[in-house]
Amino acid sequence: MNTLIQLAYFGVAVVFILGLKAMSSPVTARRGIVWAGYAMIAATLVTFYTPGMQNYGLMITAIVLGGGVAWWSGRVVKMTDMPQMVAIYNGMGGGAAAAIAALEFARGGVHSPGVATLAVLGALIGSVAFSGSCVAFAKLQGIMTKTWRLPQQNIVNIVLAGLTVLLGLAIVISGTPVPALIIAFFIVALALGVILTSPIGGADMPVVISLLNAFTGLAVGFEGFVLGNPALIVAGIVVGASGTLLTQLMAKAMNRPIKNVIFTPITGEAAGGGEAIEGSMKEFSALDAASVMRYASKVIIVPGYGMAVAGAQHKVWEMAQLLEEGGVEVVFAIHPVAGRMPGHMNVLLAEAGVPYDKIFDLEEINADFAQADVALVIGANDVVNPVARTDKSSPIYGMPILNADMAQNVIVVKRGKGAGYSGIENALFYKDNCRMLYGSAQQAIGEVITHVKALEV
Amino acid sequence: MDGITALYVFMLAAFTGYEVISRVPVILHTPLMSGSNFIHGVVLVGAMVVLGHADPEDPVQLAIGFVAVFLGAANAAGGYVVTERMLAMFKSDRKPGGAK
């Protein structure tokens, strides 16, 4: 029986890797998650036959409750709120890894110092991933709106991390640790996760979620070594490594080294540092916008998070189709971090029915702005801010941006006059070729559509 | 599993993870993060094993085990649903240029 279970775990690990591989290409991605899903079900079922197990009633209750709640919440959540759901499910995985370690210590299942070290490491990383993900969830969900920094934040981080390591070491050395020591360790580890993530906000959030995802993977892998379970080891470590790479790719897309994300977050105060911007914002009516675009030959649409929260992607696509019927070339330009996460905007546009061949990455399209008659910026801000190219004192200096300012005309659809998500003034809005169309994306684009239709007659 | 074998498994798994997604387009970053989030939901299996071996007379052990299984199951189920919903939009049968 045991051999059969081990063989099943082996198969599960192989399918997980193949699934992950499939998920890294758009053509096979859907297949990948379905394969991995079947493998997960198989792994769960097989585990029920592990020899010498008890507490089945409690186990099934926990699976039904936990799985049910998560399944339901994942089904009903809006597409725009996906990032925080990924964060919270990830946190739960980290919490589960930490709880496994806690139970192994509580029942005296840890015998050698080597195993104890791995259990402690997994518990530490899992706890940080758990509390950190909860903070990330609270922030993206809008429950926690302020990013706060303690005075001497980095020193507090280091002291707290040091304390956790010391407590962990004490657990390893003591062999049969006292409950008080274990409880203290978990409290400090959880606090560390909160303190680490609290100062981070804005555009850095996806990088943090991705990093915590890699953390959870590692934690699961370490607990896999503790339990001698190869499915956990392979899946956990594979996710740990791929998650680390993914975090690097995301950080690179934003030109924010990971250490800067954690130790010197973009905050309102830092944002005050940039040079003063001269000029004024010039307003535009929906009718003006409609006529400029209707008689253009090429329009590039730059969608941002503002468009997504307004739920305007369907309207925007309707407008794009109208313009195309009139012979205007319309394409979408997507910044790597448009939306709240890399790729999030593509998902939202796909949901609205925009075909892939109209969606272009930053590298593909940046040269085209100079030939475009209109760049229509909808609810995007920092990703088109030219100070990232020009102003060395700006916190976003060096971040790759979409060169919307190079288009002949720039129309910015924006709710109000405030600064962007990161709190940095946008020099684009003050440029001579830029016009502001105020209003929520949904309503503003709706008006543009009406006017475009009127122009047809 | 002895220490050295474990170290080899660790190394090979790490390289695999790194290689497997090294050529991923930006549009798939979010779904892939979500997908790998689902895969570490296999922690559920570990949670079931520890709860299964917990002392049925000890409420503390049972409580911790229950929490572990609950969280693990939530990670797996939630991770799957969210990833599947995102990737459902990448269906290849969508006609280019066709709307709604």
Side-chain angles (χ1 to χ4, degrees):
Chain A
M1 197 66 222
N2 221 349
T3 320
L4 274 180
I5 293 175
Q6 294 301 326
L7 270 176
Y9 283 153
F10 177 80
V12 164
V14 172
V15 177
F16 277 161
I17 293 172
L18 291 176
L20 205 56
K21 174 86 193 154
M23 271 187 263
S24 59
S25 154
V27 186
T28 51
R30 179 94 195 283
R31 243 176 284 160
I33 183 68
V34 175
W35 291 343
Y38 283 123
M40 189 70 79
I41 292 171
T44 313
L45 290 180
V46 154
T47 306
F48 279 110
Y49 294 98
T50 308
M53 292 228 300
Q54 307 173 63
N55 310 321
Y56 282 110
L58 202 60
M59 195 181 298
I60 292 167
T61 315
I63 293 174
V64 171
L65 280 180
V69 168
W71 188 275
W72 171 79
S73 60
R75 273 270 160 250
V76 296
V77 69
K78 282 191 306 222
M79 245 11 211
T80 40
D81 292 342
M82 281 304 180
Q84 52 263 49
M85 297 318 286
V86 175
I88 195 72
Y89 297 140
N90 170 51
M92 288 173 151
I100 289 175
L103 186 48
E104 281 301 280
F105 281 117
R107 70 182 192 91
V110 181
H111 300 297
S112 77
V115 171
T117 310
L118 286 169
V120 164
L121 268 178
L124 168 58
I125 301 169
S127 302
V128 169
F130 175 70
S131 57
S133 296
C134 289
V135 171
F137 172 79
K139 282 190 170 179
L140 291 175
Q141 189 69 18
I143 299 168
M144 183 176 160
T145 45
K146 271 184 79 70
T147 53
W148 46 265
R149 276 178 80 74
L150 299 168
Q152 305 299 324
Q153 170 89 34
N154 290 344
I155 296 177
V156 175
N157 286 350
I158 291 165
V159 169
L160 213 52
L163 187 61
T164 328
V165 171
L166 279 181
L167 283 169
L169 217 56
I171 292 177
V172 173
I173 293 168
S174 64
T176 47
V178 283
L181 191 61
I182 298 176
I183 293 169
F185 168 79
F186 276 105
I187 290 173
V188 181
L190 289 169
L192 183 64
V194 174
I195 303 275
L196 272 176
T197 28
S198 289
I200 303 168
D204 288 342
M205 225 55 219
V207 181
V208 173
I209 296 175
S210 175
L211 188 65
L212 292 173
N213 186 40
F215 274 16
T216 304
L218 265 187
V220 171
F222 285 146
E223 298 313 330
F225 282 115
V226 173
L227 300 174
N229 186 312
L232 259 70
I233 298 174
V234 173
I237 302 300
V238 164
V239 170
S242 63
T244 308
L245 176 62
L246 199 53
T247 311
Q248 282 171 351
L249 291 174
M250 284 188 190
K252 208 173 127 204
M254 300 165 59
N255 199 34
R256 292 269 295 155
I258 294 166
K259 72 171 176 31
N260 288 13
V261 171
I262 294 169
F263 294 109
T264 50
I266 297 178
T267 62
E269 301 95 78
E275 286 166 10
I277 297 162
E278 287 173 14
S280 61
M281 296 193 207
K282 290 157 287 281
E283 219 176 311
F284 221 27
S285 74
L287 174 62
D288 296 329
S291 39
V292 168
M293 287 193 283
R294 176 62 188 78
Y295 298 113
S297 58
K298 180 164 186 167
V299 174
I300 301 179
I301 299 178
V302 180
Y305 189 67
M307 182 198 75
V309 278
Q313 50 270 38
H314 290 92
K315 276 255 179 279
V316 171
W317 175 227
E318 190 187 335
M319 182 195 73
Q321 284 173 294
L322 260 179
L323 291 172
E324 285 192 319
E325 281 164 27
V328 186
E329 187 193 351
V330 185
V331 293
F332 290 82
I334 309 240
H335 190 273
V337 293
R340 283 287 165 88
M341 281 190 192
H344 189 200
M345 186 56 63
N346 303 68
V347 171
L348 295 171
L349 288 179
E351 192 190 18
V354 181
Y356 303 120
D357 54 2
K358 301 222 170 291
I359 303 175
F360 294 93
D361 293 349
L362 183 130
E363 292 91 20
E364 292 171 322
I365 198 143
N366 243 350
D368 295 2
F369 278 104
Q371 282 99 51
D373 302 286
V374 180
L376 177 66
V377 178
I378 308 171
N381 193 338
D382 296 329
V383 298
V384 289
N385 192 345
V387 301
R389 281 199 311 259
T390 53
D391 180 1
K392 284 208 165 100
S393 64
S394 171
I396 59 168
Y397 178 74
M399 179 174 96
I401 58 158
L402 288 163
N403 297 328
D405 57 322
M406 308 251 177
Q408 212 141 55
N409 299 284
V410 182
I411 302 172
V412 178
V413 180
K414 200 168 175 303
R415 282 169 71 103
K417 300 191 180 189
Y421 197 47
S422 63
I424 301 162
E425 274 291 347
N426 194 331
L428 173 68
F429 302 165
Y430 297 90
K431 291 196 72 156
D432 290 333
N433 60 346
C434 179
R435 296 288 180 276
M436 309 298 288
L437 177 56
Y438 291 114
S440 89
Q442 178 88 1
Q443 163 235 333
I445 299 299
E447 281 173 30
V448 172
I449 290 176
T450 321
H451 289 299
V452 171
K453 278 185 183 155
L455 286 169
E456 298 296 326
V457 232
Chain B
M1 194 180 308
D2 70 88
I4 293 298
T5 316
L7 217 56
Y8 271 100
V9 172
F10 186 100
M11 185 244 338
L12 291 172
F15 274 115
T16 308
Y18 211 85
E19 279 305 313
V20 129
I21 68 145
S22 58
R23 258 185 289 277
V24 58
V26 175
I27 57 161
L28 280 175
H29 279 184
T30 297
L32 188 64
M33 185 204 313
S34 182
S36 57
N37 177 32
F38 163 67
I39 285 177
H40 68 52
V42 74
V43 69
L44 168 62
V45 165
M48 288 168 68
V49 171
V50 286
L51 175 58
H53 292 108
D55 178 1
E57 305 297 317
D58 185 345
V60 176
Q61 289 190 20
L62 290 181
I64 301 174
F66 182 83
V67 169
V69 175
F70 179 91
L71 292 176
N75 181 184
Y80 181 82
V81 172
V82 166
T83 313
E84 207 273 336
R85 274 184 65 190
M86 280 192 227
L87 291 178
M89 289 163 194
F90 288 87
K91 266 184 240 142
S92 46
D93 57 41
R94 193 196 301 281
K95 285 174 212 82
K100 297 189 191 124

